[in-house]
Amino acid sequence: MLRAMPPDSATSPPSARARPAGAALWIAALDRGAPLPLSRQLAAALRAAIAEGQLGAGARLPSTRALAAELGLARSTVVAVFEQLAAEGYIAAQPGSGYFVPANLTEVRAVPPREATLPGMRPVSRSISRVGRLLGELNPQPRTPPRPFELGHADIDARLVATWKRLASQTLSGRSRLDWGYGDPQGEPALRQAIADYLAAARGVRCRPEQILLTSGTQQGLSLAARVLLDPGDAAWVEDPCYRAAIDILRAAEARIVPVAVDDQGLNTGGLDIGAAAQQGDMSRGGTPRLVYTTPSRQYPLGMAMPLARRMALLAWAAAAGAWIIEDDYESEFQQPARMLPSLQGLDRAGRVIYLGTFSKLVFPALRLGYAVLPEDLVRPFTAARHLADRQSSSLLQAIGGHFARHLKLMRAIYAERQAFLIAEAERRLGGWLTIRPQGCGMYVTASLPSRWSDRGVAEDLAAAGVGALPLSALILEKPRPPALVLGTAGHSEAAIARAVERMAAAFAGKPV
Amino acid sequence: MLRAMPPDSATSPPSARARPAGAALWIAALDRGAPLPLSRQLAAALRAAIAEGQLGAGARLPSTRALAAELGLARSTVVAVFEQLAAEGYIAAQPGSGYFVPANLTEVRAVPPREATLPGMRPVSRSISRVGRLLGELNPQPRTPPRPFELGHADIDARLVATWKRLASQTLSGRSRLDWGYGDPQGEPALRQAIADYLAAARGVRCRPEQILLTSGTQQGLSLAARVLLDPGDAAWVEDPCYRAAIDILRAAEARIVPVAVDDQGLNTGGLDIGAAAQQGDMSRGGTPRLVYTTPSRQYPLGMAMPLARRMALLAWAAAAGAWIIEDDYESEFQQPARMLPSLQGLDRAGRVIYLGTFSKLVFPALRLGYAVLPEDLVRPFTAARHLADRQSSSLLQAIGGHFARHLKLMRAIYAERQAFLIAEAERRLGGWLTIRPQGCGMYVTASLPSRWSDRGVAEDLAAAGVGALPLSALILEKPRPPALVLGTAGHSEAAIARAVERMAAAFAGKPV
């Protein structure tokens, strides 16, 4: 550390007297064992002493001869340092009396720090934006060692690590062309083509590669949508219960969040009478929303799929009402393709759907790669929003992700194994307490608890036992539901799952059902 | 492609009559050579025909027997497909008369597409947010093959490629621990510690690792600052001339941009009388700004450094006025450390400075990694803003970037070589036309043109000759300056630079000076 004195040192008050300052003020900083040359150490120590006020306005520096002797340096070294500092404006030469600290530096330094006021001035604010204040109330989850069954972790199977290394080394080999600079703001064209092909075959998405914007994941896709589509005060409909980060993003966009109940077919469009809706300004609570956020393939966290008729009704309503639909198609990769309904995007004829997908679940979260499929007229503002937010996705990650995505079958098999393992273990050890309906393969399950238990209370008990479980009620905005736990399975090994089930059995034993 | 008919086909209008639809409508889609089983092809073709209205409401499907015969499939295959589609809600069974398309699907489909209105309803808007409209006017630079002397390219030296591959394979090897999941929202603690140590030694930055937020680069750092600090209509001061992306980001935050003239000491604080400023609500054009964006180490694009006295004045003014300072310390890694003034952040005692740095220049742009050093009370809102925007930086990139940053000396040497090469070539071949003052090492130079030339005109001529040059006047907001070109050097090989200089000589020859 290039610091003359510890910042909290109180040894010596700043000297404003015009006598040479003692080298003791900064000599502590010189370290002959350090790799940094002594001349640079001396210069840094002097700068710090002046900037911090230990050498105040008008303070005279010792002569180069005296300082050289005191520090055991060549005099020429000290002269060079003084000349350097003079060139920088830290000190000035006074013919015949050596160097001193010029007055203008300390004059401006005289302004008192933090929250200071000068006579007659308004109080100095540390004011930030409205959005900044909203954001300050959020608390991004602190990093903790992963516990089963927390979501968002990735315990990478050894088979995948081997695949990853092979693909990464292919990507980095001389054979593959890699763009080391800033690439296409929308993402590499070849990757966008591959995504369009995959989505057409697997999800019935109909788009040209030009409608795809590479993102760093679903979270960025939704953030961009909020920025491009929502003005402060606009209504945004969300499913109840809902993914928490989606709520946070919409809140940070100053949207009015309107919860829409979920029934066994997902987002309930029962109240959406197209004709009536379109004629009234305020067809439902909160007025016509600017956008609707929905998870039709697998409602998060309840797991049901939205049937075709309801998809059609939702699209027709959106077309009539002029609302945008954000389709978060998370985890659709892990469902049985033959059993999947086509995406809303593929059924939409009015260009109202923004389709969001991610590689985080397909590969692993650290990859930070996802995509948005956009109506033609939204491509330009979304791309500009992405570009200003953080330019574009790393071309390295794009190259690696594109290769890795071919290994979908392996991922699907691993996730299915882990989920099946939890279901079997829970049946064996937690029967009567925990009921897990198979909900198609994926990265989590939602497990019912006895109806008189509190899922928040259970989650607290489990946390104390080293088991992470998300209580369903934490995701509910309005309409109460029977107690349940959302348990992430994909990111935890079978051994970890087995241990956690044992701990759950111990925690539940003796609890009145 | 799983599509019954080309979308623009006009062969047959949607049938609403209750007679069996001919298989000819979708038979085109079955491809015996395709890897997809015929049963899935048939299901997809049927879904598409129904969703697109080729099989309309009430349409009867052919019998399974007839269809199987027509398509050359086993009848059981067709039965299974029909049962699947019935389960999905696409078709319904009518006892005794086979399958048909239910009415509720086509009823909701009856809403006309795009821009449609129902009787009495307001016109359907495709309205987006105010910010979205601003963004739609921007045009992220299209991707073109790199031309010298465009900025933002990276022609990676063979020495660096070798280093990169070695480090990447170390990172991916079993020996290194890597977080495959979502990591720390602020960035990996070890990398933040390393950045804090580096910045303390090299830039006089004084911070704890807890004040560092990993970003995807300076652009994201500035975007987050705009989001957290600026309300619409707030004044933001920028240097004139200024980095264009900074202007775009501040505009997209709906800031009022106030250009501040630059003199030979950088941002001109001459008008900032602290006492007077603090007493008046409106001490200068545009009122007290909420923030000031500045490049004190090396003004972009003019290249001068801000001397110490002016740094102190700027900080004292900001402390009194309650303004935030965004210090973009780009390229400081490539200057001679002994000749660098400490950062504004290191001199600031009032916690007003947000210090932005990046690995894009230190390593290569594709890495997408940078950092912001924040006053303590801004850490939480900035981290939340980053988290909602795109969670965090890829831990893969963090691991690789952290290793690679050790190779600063090599990067510095390569960039210095390329810049020196251009200066020598320009002197030899372009003397009298182009004057490049050495401005310390970096990734670009700003070269003066004869005073009567138009730099925009020259840049157009050069573009026609395959040479990319940014005219200084494109970066000017208000105060005109003598013509000059901003030439990126770091991203182009010496061979490319030499060729470009020859082309410039040809383009300039005969032009009256």
Side-chain angles (χ1 to χ4, degrees):
Chain A
M1 293 295 292
L2 306 179
R3 191 165 292 157
M5 311 210 40
D8 52 351
S9 160
T11 348
S12 175
S15 157
R17 286 157 293 171
R19 60 164 180 75
L25 273 172
W26 57 79
I27 199 164
L30 299 194
D31 173 1
R32 276 157 211 283
L36 206 63
L38 290 172
S39 61
R40 283 186 56 195
Q41 291 188 41
L42 175 60
L46 270 166
R47 286 193 200 99
I50 295 166
E52 291 177 13
Q54 286 147 5
L55 282 171
R60 260 179 62 210
L61 274 78
S63 71
T64 52
R65 187 189 307 271
L67 187 56
E70 189 172 347
L71 299 179
L73 296 173
R75 190 182 166 199
S76 61
T77 302
V78 176
V79 169
V81 167
F82 277 26
E83 284 171 357
Q84 165 76 31
L85 289 178
E88 294 175 359
Y90 275 96
I91 59 178
Q94 199 164 30
S97 47
Y99 286 90
F100 68 103
V101 179
N104 63 343
L105 280 185
T106 39
E107 269 166 21
V108 297
R109 277 205 75 262
V111 173
R114 213 177 274 266
E115 306 297 342
T117 52
L118 292 177
M121 79 183 261
R122 59 182 174 69
V124 169
S125 75
R126 298 187 64 77
S127 64
I128 61 177
S129 68
R130 280 199 319 268
V131 170
R133 290 191 293 276
L134 280 173
L135 290 166
E137 287 160 19
L138 298 176
N139 206 0
Q141 288 172 344
R143 175 198 173 92
T144 50
R147 298 177 306 183
F149 299 92
E150 289 169 347
L151 293 108
H153 289 296
D155 175 88
I156 301 291
D157 188 280
R159 289 165 284 179
L160 286 177
V161 173
T163 307
W164 155 261
K165 285 184 185 167
R166 190 163 43 75
L167 291 172
S169 80
Q170 273 174 27
T171 305
L172 299 171
S173 79
R175 281 163 306 181
S176 71
R177 284 190 62 246
L178 196 61
D179 191 337
W180 303 84
Y182 300 116
D184 189 311
Q186 271 185 255
E188 298 307 310
L191 181 56
R192 286 189 277 122
Q193 180 69 60
I195 291 169
D197 292 347
Y198 164 76
L199 291 177
R203 302 296 303 115
V205 166
R206 306 202 301 178
C207 70
R208 300 179 305 121
E210 291 74 17
Q211 288 171 263
I212 293 181
L213 173 65
L214 266 286
T215 65
S216 66
T218 299
Q219 196 135 330
Q220 183 174 51
L222 184 55
S223 289
L224 296 176
R227 189 157 170 71
V228 170
L229 303 177
L230 289 177
D231 282 314
D234 280 347
W237 287 5
V238 298
E239 295 167 348
D240 182 15
C242 185
Y243 180 47
R244 283 190 297 190
I247 303 286
D248 288 342
I249 289 168
L250 295 170
R251 279 212 180 109
E254 305 185 84
R256 277 185 304 118
I257 310 283
V258 180
V260 177
V262 164
D263 65 13
D264 62 358
Q265 303 197 330
L267 183 109
N268 192 341
T269 56
L272 311 179
D273 177 344
I274 300 168
Q279 287 173 48
Q280 297 169 8
D282 194 41
M283 65 186 164
S284 76
R285 290 188 317 154
T288 303
R290 185 71 72 91
L291 67 79
V292 180
Y293 169 78
T294 181
T295 50
S297 290
R298 188 180 187 213
Q299 203 280 332
Y300 182 84
L302 299 178
M304 73 286 285
M306 184 185 287
L308 188 68
R310 187 168 286 186
R311 285 172 195 242
M312 293 300 205
L314 178 60
L315 287 166
W317 165 83
W324 303 104
I325 297 175
I326 312 287
E327 177 177 25
D328 183 350
D329 204 35
Y330 81 103
E331 293 200 5
S332 61
E333 305 87 336
F334 305 120
Q335 312 306 315
Q336 285 299 327
R339 303 209 69 87
M340 292 283 285
L341 285 168
S343 61
L344 287 172
Q345 198 278 350
L347 299 168
D348 175 28
R349 295 294 166 275
R352 306 289 345 173
V353 175
I354 292 102
Y355 175 96
L356 302 180
T358 183
F359 285 82
S360 294
K361 298 181 173 69
L362 186 56
V363 187
F364 41 76
L367 191 67
R368 309 306 310 124
L369 208 57
Y371 45 85
V373 181
L374 303 164
E376 303 273 1
D377 56 348
L378 295 187
V379 171
R380 195 157 156 174
F382 268 73
T383 303
R386 167 84 212 255
H387 187 68
L388 290 189
D390 65 346
R391 285 189 178 259
Q392 71 265 325
S393 291
S394 165
S395 53
L396 302 178
L397 297 184
Q398 291 187 52
I400 293 167
H403 285 294
F404 207 85
R406 292 187 210 140
H407 296 261
L408 176 56
K409 271 190 191 169
L410 177 56
M411 302 293 293
R412 201 185 279 154
I414 292 167
Y415 290 168
E417 280 167 24
R418 288 178 174 178
Q419 185 170 314
F421 183 80
L422 170 62
I423 292 175
E425 285 292 287
E427 234 163 63
R428 197 170 64 81
R429 299 284 291 122
L430 305 170
W433 291 318
L434 209 64
T435 313
I436 307 177
R437 274 184 317 167
Q439 297 162 330
C441 179
M443 299 182 75
Y444 73 91
V445 294
T446 298
S448 302
L449 293 171
S451 61
R452 293 168 58 192
W453 288 12
S454 146
D455 53 17
R456 284 182 193 264
V458 167
E460 277 166 29
D461 293 349
L462 290 177
V467 176
L470 179 63
L472 174 61
S473 52
L475 306 180
I476 286 175
L477 292 163
E478 198 172 73
K479 187 187 162 193
R481 291 188 174 270
L485 298 175
V486 184
L487 304 174
T489 50
H492 307 283
S493 68
E494 293 188 3
I497 291 172
R499 279 194 304 273
V501 168
E502 288 307 315
R503 289 180 190 171
M504 291 173 94
F508 292 165
K511 214 173 143 69
V513 176
Chain B
M1 294 295 293
L2 307 178
R3 191 166 293 158
M5 310 209 38
D8 52 351
S9 161
T11 347
S12 175
S15 158
R17 286 157 292 171
R19 59 164 180 76
L25 273 172
W26 57 79
I27 198 165
L30 298 194
D31 174 1
R32 277 157 212 281
L36 207 63
L38 290 172
S39 62
R40 282 186 56 195
Q41 292 186 41
L42 175 60
L46 270 167
R47 285 194 201 101
I50 295 166
E52 291 176 13
Q54 286 147 6
L55 283 170
R60 261 179 60 210
L61 274 77
S63 72
T64 52
R65 186 188 310 268
L67 188 55
E70 189 173 347
L71 299 179
L73 297 172
R75 190 181 167 200
S76 62
T77 303
V78 177
V79 169
V81 167
F82 278 26
E83 285 173 356
Q84 165 76 32
L85 289 178
E88 293 175 0
Y90 276 95
I91 59 179
Q94 200 165 31
S97 47
Y99 287 91
F100 68 102
V101 180
N104 63 343
L105 280 185
T106 41
E107 268 166 23
V108 297
R109 278 207 73 263
V111 173
R114 213 177 272 266
E115 308 296 342
T117 52
L118 290 177
M121 79 183 260
R122 60 183 174 71
V124 169
S125 74
R126 299 187 64 76
S127 63
I128 61 177
S129 69
R130 279 200 320 267
V131 170
R133 290 192 293 276
L134 280 173
L135 291 167
E137 288 160 19
L138 298 176
N139 205 1
Q141 290 174 343
R143 174 199 173 93
T144 50
R147 297 177 307 181
F149 299 92
E150 288 168 348
L151 294 109
H153 289 297
D155 175 89
I156 300 291
D157 188 281
R159 288 165 283 178
L160 286 176
V161 173
T163 306
W164 155 260
K165 286 184 184 168
R166 189 164 42 77
L167 291 171
S169 81
Q170 274 175 25
T171 305
L172 299 171
S173 79
R175 282 162 306 181
S176 71
R177 285 190 61 248
L178 196 61
D179 190 338
W180 303 83
Y182 299 115
D184 189 311
Q186 272 186 254
E188 297 307 310
L191 181 56
R192 286 190 277 122
Q193 180 69 60
I195 291 170
D197 291 346
Y198 164 76
L199 291 177
R203 303 296 303 116
V205 165
R206 307 202 300 179
C207 70
R208 300 179 305 121
E210 290 75 17
Q211 287 171 262
I212 293 180
L213 173 66
L214 266 285
T215 65
S216 67
T218 299
Q219 196 135 331
Q220 183 173 52
L222 184 56
S223 290
L224 297 175
R227 189 157 170 71
V228 171
L229 303 177
L230 289 177
D231 282 315
D234 279 346
W237 287 5
V238 299
E239 294 167 350
D240 181 14
C242 184
Y243 181 46
R244 284 189 296 191
I247 304 286
D248 288 343
I249 289 167
L250 295 169
R251 278 213 179 108
E254 304 186 82
R256 277 185 303 119
I257 310 283
V258 180
V260 178
V262 163
D263 64 14
D264 62 357
Q265 303 197 330
L267 182 109
N268 192 341
T269 55
L272 311 178
D273 178 346
I274 300 168
Q279 287 174 48
Q280 298 169 8
D282 194 39
M283 64 186 164
S284 76
R285 291 188 316 154
T288 304
R290 185 70 73 91
L291 67 78
V292 180
Y293 170 78
T294 181
T295 51
S297 289
R298 188 179 186 214
Q299 203 280 333
Y300 182 84
L302 299 179
M304 74 286 286
M306 184 185 288
L308 188 68
R310 187 167 285 186
R311 285 172 195 243
M312 293 299 204
L314 178 61
L315 287 166
W317 166 84
W324 302 104
I325 297 175
I326 312 287
E327 176 177 26
D328 183 350
D329 205 34
Y330 81 102
E331 295 201 3
S332 60
E333 305 88 337
F334 305 121
Q335 312 306 315
Q336 286 298 328
R339 305 208 67 88
M340 293 282 285
L341 286 168
S343 62
L344 287 172
Q345 197 278 351
L347 298 168
D348 175 28
R349 294 294 165 277
R352 306 289 344 174
V353 175
I354 291 101
Y355 175 97
L356 302 180
T358 182
F359 285 82
S360 293
K361 297 180 174 69
L362 186 56
V363 187
F364 41 76
L367 191 68
R368 309 306 310 125
L369 209 57
Y371 45 85
V373 181
L374 302 165
E376 304 273 0
D377 55 348
L378 295 187
V379 170
R380 195 156 156 175
F382 269 73
T383 303
R386 167 82 213 256
H387 188 68
L388 290 189
D390 65 347
R391 284 188 179 259
Q392 72 265 324
S393 292
S394 164
S395 53
L396 302 178
L397 296 184
Q398 291 186 53
I400 293 167
H403 285 293
F404 207 86
R406 291 187 211 140
H407 296 261
L408 177 55
K409 271 191 191 167
L410 177 56
M411 302 293 293
R412 201 185 280 155
I414 291 167
Y415 289 168
E417 280 167 23
R418 288 178 175 178
Q419 183 170 315
F421 183 78
L422 169 62
I423 292 176
E425 284 291 288
E427 235 163 60
R428 196 169 65 80
R429 300 284 291 123
L430 304 172
W433 291 317
L434 208 65
T435 312
I436 307 177
R437 273 185 317 169
Q439 298 161 329
C441 180
M443 299 182 76
Y444 74 91
V445 294
T446 298
S448 301
L449 293 172
S451 60
R452 294 168 57 193
W453 288 13
S454 146
D455 54 16
R456 284 183 194 264
V458 167
E460 278 167 28
D461 294 348
L462 291 178
V467 176
L470 179 62
L472 173 60
S473 52
L475 306 179
I476 286 176
L477 293 162
E478 198 172 72
K479 188 187 161 191
R481 291 189 174 268
L485 298 175
V486 183
L487 304 175
T489 50
H492 307 283
S493 68
E494 293 188 3
I497 291 172
R499 278 194 304 274
V501 168
E502 288 306 316
R503 288 180 191 171
M504 291 173 93
F508 292 166
K511 215 172 142 69
V513 176

